[in-house]
Amino acid sequence: MIKNDLFLRALKGETVDRPPVWMMRQAGRYLPEFMEIKAKYDFFTRCQTPELASEITVQPIRRYGMDAAILFSDILVIPQAMNIDVEMKPNFGPFLPEPIRSAKDVESVIVPDIKDTLGYVMDAITMTKEKLNNEIPLIGFAGSPWTILCYCVQGQGSKSFDLAKGFCFTQPKAAHQLLQKITDTTIAYLKEKVKAGVNALQVFDSWGGMLSPTDYQEFSFQYIQQIVDALKDEAPVIVFGKGCWFALGEMAKSGAAALGVDWTCSARNARYLSGGKITLQGNFDPSRLLSPPTEIKKMVHQMIREFGKDQYIVNLGHGILPNIPLENAGAFIEAVKEYTE
């Protein structure tokens, strides 16, 4: 079995000596060894080549020794598999040349055979598990159906996702058909990931905070609930909704093993809103990793004291930024490993 199972024990709510730690986007752009690979291969080549994806996944573990690895991939491999063209433009981000804007567009979206379309992800999991050699758990992930819809309709990143929201509000029937197709694909995809060997799953609802609480329930959370229902008996599921503090109470009843919290919600509020009985993960402001290492360590220790060491996973409140000094990322991980009550 896994030698360091601290992360899995925290997901079960067991008593631990210290909380586990990992960082969202830990496999990536702040690491010089990642930048060397990036210079040679474009984004989706890195995702679709198991040798590259597995190497990128273990790079931060070699350097810092986190308590969990997260598979290097992208949430937009799902729409790609669903017959939607997705490009990653340098210095721009995701770009979908033919966004979904009508019921007719939704009809052309398929629920694919996962083994045919996303088999490369499962191969990357197999290779990564070999490299990790049962030292630590491996996390697999997917975007929430709402977050995927945002990109599919908007066609690119956005500060407001006005076109995506407009599509939902003016063509709700088509929007729900698209959300259901994404949900069905995501469930099949995550089930295959568990079969391939991931030890836990995370659903990223990056744009959930764009919706009002009422619209969140209709266009996002009911679909996340379907995913949790389908997967919770196969692997622990973490639900992370950025800006979704208002849904923590609902999320806590979902059957998820843990809830991610961003840095705009205090530990005290997160515990209160979630009912105080579920494992929480977060919520260090990624920009705070620009503070001096001594200050980072103090703030991390304070954060652990506020959340409590049990039923808690130390993480950032969103993904690590590309401009974070290596020493500062190291100070974040070390602070948790040094923690004693």
Side-chain angles (χ1 to χ4, degrees):
M1 289 306 289
I2 288 168
K3 297 181 188 99
N4 172 0
D5 64 350
L6 196 57
F7 171 72
L8 298 175
R9 286 172 59 209
L11 285 174
K12 287 178 189 158
E14 292 178 12
T15 301
V16 291
D17 292 331
R18 68 159 176 90
V21 59
W22 67 281
M23 296 187 293
M24 290 186 274
R25 287 213 176 130
Q26 66 189 20
R29 55 211 179 155
Y30 68 108
L31 292 172
E33 52 268 47
F34 172 83
M35 297 308 283
E36 282 176 29
I37 293 176
K38 186 185 174 187
K40 293 180 196 165
Y41 305 97
D42 72 52
F43 183 78
F44 282 117
T45 300
R46 280 173 262 147
C47 291
Q48 291 162 3
T49 310
E51 294 80 0
L52 294 177
S54 61
E55 169 59 24
I56 292 165
T57 301
V58 299
Q59 283 178 344
I61 311 304
R62 286 192 200 118
R63 188 182 273 274
Y64 297 117
M66 291 87 168
D67 296 307
I70 184 163
L71 187 74
F72 176 77
S73 186
D74 194 78
I75 62 172
L76 296 178
V77 300
I78 287 270
Q80 279 183 331
M82 297 177 73
N83 206 25
I84 300 167
D85 192 15
V86 182
E87 301 167 13
M88 194 63 75
K89 287 192 170 179
N91 306 316
F92 180 81
F95 178 71
L96 289 76
E98 294 177 23
I100 308 291
R101 298 281 165 82
S102 68
K104 191 165 181 296
D105 293 339
V106 173
E107 278 171 32
S108 67
V109 176
I110 62 164
V111 175
D113 180 319
I114 298 298
K115 287 176 186 162
D116 281 355
T117 52
L118 293 165
Y120 63 85
V121 178
M122 311 315 144
D123 294 340
I125 291 168
T126 305
M127 283 187 192
T128 304
K129 292 288 284 185
E130 279 173 23
K131 286 177 179 159
L132 291 173
N133 193 28
N134 285 330
E135 291 293 333
I136 55 170
L138 178 63
I139 304 164
F141 70 90
S144 74
W146 158 254
T147 290
I148 300 295
L149 175 142
C150 280
Y151 288 106
C152 291
V153 177
Q154 196 78 23
Q156 61 187 67
S158 167
K159 284 192 166 65
S160 64
F161 284 102
D162 54 330
L163 298 175
K165 288 171 84 169
F167 176 69
C168 289
F169 302 157
T170 58
Q171 303 179 70
K173 191 177 171 194
H176 284 298
Q177 282 173 337
L178 179 57
L179 286 162
Q180 193 58 56
K181 284 184 176 185
I182 297 167
T183 303
D184 294 345
T185 304
T186 303
I187 288 169
Y189 175 57
L190 292 177
K191 284 191 169 184
E192 284 301 318
K193 280 188 166 180
V194 174
K195 278 189 209 158
V198 299
N199 306 99
L201 300 164
Q202 178 154 318
V203 178
F204 285 86
D205 197 5
S206 306
W207 306 123
M210 296 273 176
L211 293 166
S212 72
T214 306
D215 291 331
Y216 185 72
Q217 193 56 45
E218 181 178 352
F219 294 104
S220 185
F221 197 72
Q222 64 164 316
Y223 295 100
I224 293 174
Q225 184 67 64
Q226 285 185 42
I227 295 168
V228 175
D229 287 344
L231 272 304
K232 67 181 178 186
D233 294 335
E234 299 190 26
V237 182
I238 303 167
V239 175
F240 171 60
K242 186 170 180 288
C244 300
W245 59 270
F246 55 81
L248 285 171
E250 188 77 18
M251 288 175 174
K253 298 177 202 150
S254 67
L259 306 180
V261 184
D262 69 37
W263 68 93
T264 62
C265 185
S266 69
R268 186 179 174 185
N269 279 347
R271 286 281 180 216
Y272 172 74
L273 292 166
S274 63
K277 290 179 184 159
I278 190 167
T279 297
L280 297 178
Q281 175 179 280
N283 69 338
F284 202 77
D285 180 349
S287 300
R288 265 293 179 183
L289 289 180
L290 294 165
S291 300
T294 50
E295 207 173 316
I296 291 169
K297 288 196 172 185
K298 278 184 203 156
M299 287 190 289
V300 169
H301 289 163
Q302 179 63 25
M303 181 172 76
I304 297 171
R305 282 192 292 272
E306 287 175 6
F307 276 99
K309 73 170 172 67
D310 294 327
Q311 291 192 301
Y312 179 48
I313 296 161
V314 179
N315 207 317
L316 305 175
H318 203 226
I320 188 168
L321 301 165
N323 59 335
I324 299 303
L326 294 173
E327 183 192 2
N328 297 24
F332 179 80
I333 304 298
E334 283 160 30
V336 186
K337 292 187 173 182
E338 293 164 4
Y339 182 80
T340 50
E341 274 196 318

